[in-house]
Amino acid sequence: MLYDPRLVQPMRDELTRLGVRELRTSGDVDEVLDAEGDTLVVVNSVCGCAARNARPAVALAMRHEVQPDRVVTVFAGQDAEATARARHYFAGVRPSSPSIALLSGGELQFMLERHQIEGREAYQIAADITKAYDEFCATS
């Protein structure tokens, strides 16, 4: 069952106003994630216990000196096709929302699953993201 679009719009807006691109179809996902370069993928969610800090963590990470080429998002429970396709790229990782993945040329380099987000402050989650940027994006 999909969430009411009116319910999720503020959660979408929290990322898109930062310049994060929404991917709404499997074609959108393949086009972006198969491209050269580094892509941060945020699996957005209505989960108040984890997503409420995941989105601000992404905002904090976007201030870091080192950045991926793209930051994109799919919305679990809303854009089912796009979310399922994005999770296809997260080989070996169980579906989790929210989650945050860093891919290079379509290959998973780093993943934060819900259990690694839940119960942590945004600045702690952002520190994990920026550490991954330093490790995987600094040379690209």
Side-chain angles (χ1 to χ4, degrees), residues 9 51 74 90:
Q9 193 59 51
V74 296
F90 309 156

Side-chain angles (χ1 to χ4, degrees), residues 2 24-29 74 78-86:
L2 301 179
R24 296 217 161 167
T25 69
S26 60
D28 292 343
V29 171
V74 296
Q78 182 74 103
D79 299 327
E81 176 190 324
T83 302
R85 188 63 186 161

Side-chain angles (χ1 to χ4, degrees), residues 53 57 117 119-126:
N53 285 333
I117 296 170
R120 298 178 69 211
E121 296 295 327
Y123 75 89
Q124 295 170 309
I125 301 162

Side-chain angles (χ1 to χ4, degrees), residues 8-90:
V8 303
Q9 193 59 51
M11 296 165 213
R12 288 180 182 278
D13 293 346
E14 196 171 346
L15 291 176
T16 59
R17 75 171 173 250
L18 299 170
V20 177
R21 178 179 167 195
E22 285 189 301
L23 306 178
R24 296 217 161 167
T25 69
S26 60
D28 292 343
V29 171
D30 286 338
E31 178 185 331
V32 171
L33 297 189
D34 285 337
E36 277 190 42
D38 303 311
T39 306
L40 187 77
V41 181
V42 181
V43 178
N44 203 349
S45 170
V46 298
C47 170
C49 53
R52 70 171 177 199
N53 285 333
R55 291 184 296 269
V58 171
L60 289 171
M62 291 181 84
R63 299 179 189 164
H64 192 60
E65 181 179 334
V66 177
Q67 290 290 310
D69 299 298
R70 294 164 292 283
V71 181
V72 300
T73 184
V74 296
F75 206 107
Q78 182 74 103
D79 299 327
E81 176 190 324
T83 302
R85 188 63 186 161
R87 287 176 171 156
H88 170 79
Y89 287 84
F90 309 156

